[in-house]
Amino acid sequence: MPLNAISNTHSPAETRWRILPQGDRCLIISFGEQIDAAIGRTCLAAARKLRDAQLPGVTDVVPSFVAVAVHYRPGGHGEGPTYSTLSEHIHALLADGIPTDAAGGREIDIPVCYGGEHGPDLDDVARAARLTPDGVIQLHSERRSMVFMLGFAPGHAYLGVHDEKLNIPRRSSPRTAVPQGSVAIANRQTVIYPNRLPGGWNIIGATPLVMFDPAREPAALLQPGDAVRFVPISPDEFDRIRGARP
């Protein structure tokens, strides 16, 4: 299926997308192939527009780095959408414009204790990046990072894009258990582990904040579109914040 071009509602640049089937109950709207903040904001804005449209039969709309998944419940005898009818509706909606200026989220500061017991891979990352550990911390915390998506586990935030110097591959040997709150990097991205989970990313620090709490509204502390600034804190400050949380 060819890419479709539209004029973005709030940008002179053209937005292109491709709609492809993903099984018999999902379709994918692809906006690109590389992780990029502008593409990420387009995905978030498109997802918001599709949710607001409340298309019949659609059960969920999930944005990611470069695409939006639209889950739907097909039905026989005209009771639910088919891939063809749903993709036609989506094409029409997107062709009307995607207001990406509405895709921004909140600005949030996340305290992080870097290195030591909280960041066992910091020294390895510094060597791979040809930086000092303090240099890695500075690059990681000096500017805000966009939350592109939540995935892998509830409240598990994926952020990026960082300086090319932090384009470090994942560990060759994944860990079977990464502590809750661990802040880890790989491939110019950052993840924050909301719970104790397996993972192969390079752990450079940890936050004492609770990233996912089912009793909280919303349960996930971070949401797609949020702009996060990592704030370096001391081990004593980490313990103080963790001890003070409910």
Side-chain angles (χ1 to χ4, degrees), residues 196-222:
R196 187 178 180 87
L197 295 166
W201 294 53
N202 305 284
I203 304 172
I204 60 172
T207 179
L209 302 184
V210 177
M211 303 307 298
F212 183 80
D213 181 357
R216 186 172 59 199
E217 180 58 40
L221 180 62
L222 298 180

Side-chain angles (χ1 to χ4, degrees), residues 117-118 175 177-183 193-197 203 206:
E117 64 175 305
H118 299 300
R175 293 179 171 93
V178 175
Q180 176 181 335
S182 291
V183 175
Y193 288 83
N195 294 296
R196 187 178 180 87
L197 295 166
I203 304 172

Side-chain angles (χ1 to χ4, degrees), residues 9-170:
T9 303
H10 297 284
S11 170
E14 286 188 332
T15 299
R16 294 178 177 271
W17 71 86
R18 185 190 305 272
I19 298 180
L20 298 169
Q22 188 80 2
D24 64 348
R25 294 175 179 267
C26 180
L27 60 79
I28 297 293
I29 312 166
S30 175
F31 291 96
E33 297 180 353
Q34 295 183 339
I35 297 175
D36 176 84
I39 293 176
R41 284 190 290 270
T42 297
C43 290
L44 295 175
R48 182 177 290 108
K49 184 163 188 174
L50 291 171
R51 291 192 192 103
D52 291 344
Q54 297 184 343
L55 296 175
V58 171
T59 58
D60 201 4
V61 178
V62 184
S64 65
F65 289 104
V66 298
V68 177
V70 180
H71 298 267
Y72 62 97
R73 183 178 296 109
H77 311 291
E79 297 172 357
T82 64
Y83 167 75
S84 295
T85 59
L86 183 56
S87 60
E88 288 175 3
H89 287 157
I90 291 173
H91 276 307
L93 277 171
L94 299 186
D96 189 44
I98 305 174
T100 54
D101 64 349
R106 307 159 296 169
E107 291 190 351
I108 298 178
D109 290 350
I110 300 291
V112 177
C113 183
Y114 290 94
E117 64 175 305
H118 299 300
D121 298 326
L122 178 61
D123 289 343
D124 290 341
V125 168
R127 281 191 290 270
R130 298 184 179 180
L131 295 167
T132 65
D134 286 343
V136 172
I137 295 170
Q138 180 178 350
L139 277 183
H140 191 255
S141 62
E142 67 183 355
R143 58 184 177 181
R144 293 192 179 275
S145 302
M146 175 179 161
V147 179
F148 279 83
M149 59 175 283
L150 303 180
F152 181 60
H156 192 282
Y158 287 78
L159 304 92
V161 175
H162 290 295
D163 192 284
E164 181 62 32
K165 292 180 181 178
L166 296 183
N167 189 10
I168 308 298
R170 299 186 187 191

